[in-house]
């Protein structure tokens, strides 16, 4: 069994900052890519940023220069530092991990989501 638990969401004013964390635990052998997605009300879930096990990162254009994704492989944890937040960043943010379990099955897992609300 694998669990991804997110934390760090909340309410912040426009221009402010938040840091999200997501810790993976359970029957994990290794983790490949980790990432953050978001879903705003009435919209589809969209990719925000991803990071490989080697540290290579990818961002959606809208957050480049404002958000930074990082990970601690020893802790199976991925972070999303969000600066210069805008009201349009308001969404539920989901953590994702593509990993191999201890029974050598590869699959993608999702966290439960954490709400980020940016007021204008």
């Amino acid at each position: 069994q694998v669990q991804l638990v997110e934390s760090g969401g909340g309410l912040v004013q426009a221009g402010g900052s938040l840091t999200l964390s997501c810790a993976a635990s359970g029957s994990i052998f290794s983790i490949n890519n980790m990432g953050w997605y978001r879903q705003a009300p009435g919209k589809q879930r969209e990719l925000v940023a991803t990071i490989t096990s080697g540290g290579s990162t990818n961002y959606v254009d809208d957050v480049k220069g404002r958000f930074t994704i990082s990970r601690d492989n020893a802790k199976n944890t991925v972070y999303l530092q969000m600066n210069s937040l805008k009201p349009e960043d308001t969404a539920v943010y989901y953590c994702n991990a593509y990993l191999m379990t201890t029974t050598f099955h590869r699959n993608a897992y999702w966290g439960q989501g954490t709400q980020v609300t940016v007021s204008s």
Side-chain angles (χ1 to χ4, degrees):
Q1 186 131 2
V2 174
Q3 281 189 315
L4 272 63
V5 178
E6 297 128 337
S7 61
L11 173 64
V12 65
Q13 288 189 331
S17 299
L18 280 176
T19 300
L20 306 183
S21 300
C22 171
S25 63
S27 304
I28 299 170
F29 181 77
S30 64
I31 302 178
N32 299 101
N33 289 1
M34 302 186 81
W36 290 95
Y37 292 71
R38 65 186 179 187
Q39 187 167 17
K43 295 187 177 182
Q44 290 189 331
R45 190 174 299 188
E46 64 172 358
L47 171 70
V48 176
T50 60
I51 185 167
T52 68
S53 57
S56 296
T57 59
N58 182 56
Y59 298 90
V60 67
D61 286 345
D62 185 46
V63 307
K64 286 181 180 177
R66 300 189 298 122
F67 292 9
T68 302
I69 188 170
S70 60
R71 64 191 280 177
D72 184 333
N73 290 332
K75 295 181 179 179
N76 288 341
T77 299
V78 63
Y79 306 94
L80 186 68
Q81 173 69 43
M82 305 184 292
N83 298 327
S84 303
L85 282 160
K86 305 175 182 178
E88 49 265 44
D89 294 318
T90 295
V92 178
Y93 283 70
Y94 295 91
C95 170
N96 174 272
Y98 184 69
L99 57 87
M100 179 180 286
T101 67
T102 53
T103 56
F104 303 108
H105 290 93
R106 290 189 185 275
N107 208 346
Y109 293 84
W110 293 91
Q112 80 285 358
T114 186
Q115 177 70 47
V116 172
T117 303
V118 185
S119 63
S120 57

